[in-house]
Amino acid sequence: MRKSSRSEIGDRPSWFLFERSKSMSGSCLKFGIATALTILSASMASAQEAVNADEMAALCHGGGLSTCVSATIPAAGTQAVQGWMSPDVGAAWAAGYKGKGVTITIVDDFSSTSRFSGNFGVGVQTQRHGEWTREEASMIAPFATIRSKDFSTSSAVSLAPGLNVLNLSYGMYAKAGYRLNQIGWSPEEASIISYATKGTAVVSKAAGNDAVAVGGVTGGQQDYLDLALVGKASAIFVGALSTNGTTSNKAQLAWYSNYAGSNTLVQSHFLVVGVTGDKTGLYGTSFAAPIISGYAAIIGSKFTKATATQITNDLLNTARTDTLVNYSAAVYGKGEASLSRALAPVAIK
Amino acid sequence: MRGRSGNRVSFRTTALLLYGLLAASPAIAQEMTTSLVDIHQGSPLSDRARGLGDGGYELQNGSRVSFNQWYRASWVDMHVDLLTQITEDTGILWGFGTGEEGEKYRIEPSLKLGFLTQMHPSANSTFSLSLTATIGGNLTEKPCEANYGDLGTYSVNCRLAASEMAPEETLKYLVNAKPESQHLWLNYRVTF
């Protein structure tokens, strides 16, 4: 077994950031790691206790730690609404509730040597894929506790007390055609799938960047993590729009984004959000999923007793379709996530 | 003297009338006369309640909720102030407020009681003092019941139901206000 990531594919421009993928090979289809890593349930620190990015890298590599502590998130201190964010976010911050009491765990690449540049409105930075997705989620929900889980370790993802949100801006690709019951998941993905099944964590999964239906075949491969999450209570597939939609300026699916497809189980758990790469230099559904993770944290900070499934359903049930070009469930699933509506009552008297 | 404010209607003659009564012929003081001093509708708390009606938000389905529907009243709090003259230079000030009620607030009725007295430091000067106290008249905002679907039904502050604030937290921001409970009025007049 080997684990790899693909940040650039084919003739797509280098600035295009594909979701990180952990490729699988081998006949037994066990998602594991060829180079065994010691699995430690290292304690995780909150964003407020962050060390700098280089220190974090050392922690990830040194001693074979499977879990990286949270690292410097330059933007978090600014807590400014950025141009790439939906206007909903600014409104959501007005009362000062920004994800407090909720833990977002970013399962991603925090240890590779692959870095790329972008700008979330706080200056150009060059960092790893996981550092980008973590920064984005923390900018949406700046009071949430952010954990970082390096996906190369394959150890089970642990949950924190209170509401948990897992951000998955990666896929698990292997040759197409296997049945799900043929797959032997590593403890990492097995734990994630279990949480989504039981509804113990909101799982925000990047839909993918191959312009196919979720779980579809591309280049002879499929994202089996997508397939494994279909129909799970608290899983949300997140596609990318090219802009944030409004009723007067409707948005359309980004050209690269995977779409919901004809499976109604996918449609009912598929959301889209604006990924304005023209402003950040960052494209891909990798940067759609952290927005939903941040939204879930903000909603969780309002409804402090809500379960992950309830938060998931709230986001899904309040998505807007009137902000999208030629809305269709097969393309946009439930529609564009609306934080303001997710926070509002169904009825009041 | 209070002027018109919003939909408040004032018919007051206020302090000038008070002066007129007390400076009138001593013969008047021989009888227990009661005079209307002021009658008006509206108050600072009425205005405040009306102000709560500014704004609104969208429900989950996008339909607009305006606060105005909750913070308007068919009857605006009316205040009647009277003066019962006891002696040539003293009188009892008294009165009442009717209160008002909207769907999500209530201003309770109020009673006003006090006195007015005057002295004459010199032949051409008058020093007047009045002290009144008001009982009741509190403004109380009522909560709403908000249905958040799967997330449950909560008692909330109607105006903050769509905010990020936890539903139970919004109740801390319900308005509970008291009217001016005591009023001291001093005046010195010299005629030349």
Side-chain angles (χ1 to χ4, degrees):
Chain A
M1 291 289 173
R2 69 182 173 81
K3 187 169 283 185
S4 63
S5 62
R6 50 175 190 172
S7 58
E8 297 170 25
I9 293 179
D11 57 357
R12 285 170 178 159
S14 60
W15 42 258
F16 186 97
L17 303 173
F18 283 83
E19 64 181 303
R20 308 298 286 186
S21 61
K22 298 200 291 183
S23 298
M24 303 171 290
S25 62
S27 57
C28 64
L29 270 180
K30 287 203 178 287
F31 297 130
I33 314 169
T35 54
L37 294 174
T38 306
I39 297 171
L40 298 174
S41 57
S43 61
M44 301 178 187
S46 69
Q48 289 80 0
E49 300 164 337
V51 295
N52 66 41
D54 288 339
E55 287 173 275
M56 188 212 68
L59 283 171
C60 290
H61 293 298
L65 285 175
S66 66
T67 304
C68 302
V69 297
S70 299
T72 300
I73 302 169
T78 63
Q79 291 183 11
V81 177
Q82 302 294 340
W84 53 269
M85 295 178 180
S86 162
D88 267 6
V89 175
W93 287 0
Y97 285 74
K98 305 175 181 180
K100 189 176 182 181
V102 180
T103 302
I104 302 175
T105 300
I106 310 290
V107 185
D108 212 310
D109 167 29
F110 293 97
S111 59
S112 79
T113 56
S114 173
R115 291 178 169 88
F116 47 86
S117 298
N119 185 348
F120 273 138
V122 293
V124 174
Q125 296 170 275
T126 301
Q127 48 189 1
R128 296 181 183 90
H129 190 272
E131 291 158 359
W132 278 116
T133 55
R134 180 180 60 196
E135 179 173 351
E136 186 181 21
S138 72
M139 289 179 77
I140 298 288
F143 288 178
T145 298
I146 308 291
R147 288 176 163 186
S148 308
K149 170 76 168 68
D150 193 304
F151 68 18
S152 69
T153 63
S154 297
S155 60
V157 178
S158 61
L159 298 183
L163 181 70
N164 283 267
V165 180
L166 307 184
N167 188 83
L168 313 180
S169 291
Y170 71 97
M172 295 289 285
Y173 288 88
K175 183 181 173 184
Y178 293 104
R179 293 188 306 276
L180 278 175
N181 60 11
Q182 291 180 280
I183 297 170
W185 294 105
S186 72
E188 183 170 74
E189 280 71 34
S191 64
I192 292 167
I193 295 164
S194 170
Y195 298 145
T197 305
K198 295 174 183 169
T200 48
V202 178
V203 176
S204 177
K205 169 72 172 72
N209 303 316
D210 299 303
V212 297
V214 167
V217 178
T218 177
Q221 295 207 318
Q222 278 179 292
D223 180 354
Y224 284 92
L225 187 52
D226 268 353
L227 292 174
L229 291 172
V230 171
K232 304 307 184 198
S234 58
I236 303 174
F237 300 104
V238 191
L241 300 169
S242 50
T243 59
N244 290 304
T246 65
T247 51
S248 58
N249 190 14
K250 297 177 191 287
Q252 59 185 0
L253 200 71
W255 62 271
Y256 52 80
S257 177
N258 283 2
Y259 47 88
S262 57
N263 185 341
T264 55
L265 289 176
V266 175
Q267 291 176 5
S268 62
H269 280 250
F270 189 97
L271 291 174
V272 286
V273 293
V275 176
T276 51
D278 54 328
K279 294 175 181 168
T280 62
L282 302 168
Y283 295 81
T285 58
S286 281
F287 301 104
I291 292 174
I292 291 298
S293 294
Y295 285 5
I298 288 173
I299 297 166
S301 69
K302 171 167 180 166
F303 299 101
T304 53
K305 294 172 185 168
T307 65
T309 302
Q310 288 174 325
I311 300 282
T312 300
N313 289 338
D314 187 40
L315 275 165
L316 292 166
N317 293 337
T318 56
R320 299 185 67 155
T321 57
D322 58 348
T323 58
L324 301 169
V325 175
N326 298 327
Y327 167 76
S328 140
V331 176
Y332 300 107
K334 295 290 283 184
E336 183 175 10
S338 170
L339 183 57
S340 59
R341 290 194 176 179
L343 293 168
V346 176
I348 188 163
K349 59 181 180 181
Chain B
M1 184 184 297
R2 267 185 270 177
R4 290 168 187 256
S5 174
N7 60 356
R8 205 188 312 172
V9 181
S10 178
F11 304 102
R12 294 181 301 174
T13 51
T14 61
L16 285 175
L17 178 56
L18 284 177
Y19 269 122
L21 285 166
L22 292 175
S25 160
I28 298 175
Q30 303 308 312
E31 304 167 12
M32 285 277 280
T33 55
T34 295
S35 308
L36 179 65
V37 176
D38 181 31
I39 181 168
H40 67 275
Q41 277 191 292
S43 68
L45 288 187
S46 257
D47 292 343
R48 186 168 176 187
R50 215 76 63 242
L52 299 177
D54 297 335
Y57 46 73
E58 286 186 353
L59 297 177
Q60 285 194 3
N61 66 3
S63 61
R64 180 87 182 162
V65 171
S66 169
F67 298 160
N68 181 258
Q69 63 179 311
W70 294 323
Y71 299 98
R72 63 182 174 210
S74 54
W75 171 261
V76 178
D77 191 12
M78 175 178 277
H79 291 262
V80 177
D81 292 343
L82 301 153
L83 171 67
T84 299
Q85 194 166 358
I86 299 170
T87 69
E88 186 176 349
D89 289 322
T90 60
I92 295 172
L93 283 166
W94 59 284
F96 60 90
T98 60
E100 67 177 68
E101 187 161 15
E103 189 177 342
K104 292 301 174 186
Y105 79 97
R106 179 171 188 258
I107 296 175
E108 59 189 13
S110 62
L111 279 175
K112 180 186 279 187
L113 194 60
F115 69 92
L116 172 68
T117 187
Q118 66 179 12
M119 58 191 75
H120 305 281
S122 63
N124 62 344
S125 65
T126 305
F127 177 76
S128 306
L129 177 150
S130 81
L131 179 65
T132 56
T134 301
I135 303 166
N138 293 350
L139 166 64
T140 307
E141 188 179 9
K142 302 173 187 175
C144 281
E145 187 176 86
N147 173 5
Y148 292 96
D150 280 356
L151 297 166
T153 299
Y154 296 84
S155 180
V156 297
N157 182 319
C158 309
R159 296 171 291 115
L160 300 174
S163 75
E164 307 64 40
M165 205 174 289
E168 54 271 29
E169 290 287 311
T170 64
L171 296 175
K172 294 178 183 174
Y173 299 93
L174 289 172
V175 172
N176 279 295
K178 294 180 178 177
E180 179 185 72
S181 60
Q182 291 184 327
H183 185 79
L184 176 66
W185 181 73
L186 296 169
N187 189 274
Y188 182 66
R189 187 182 67 163
V190 178
T191 305
F192 54 89

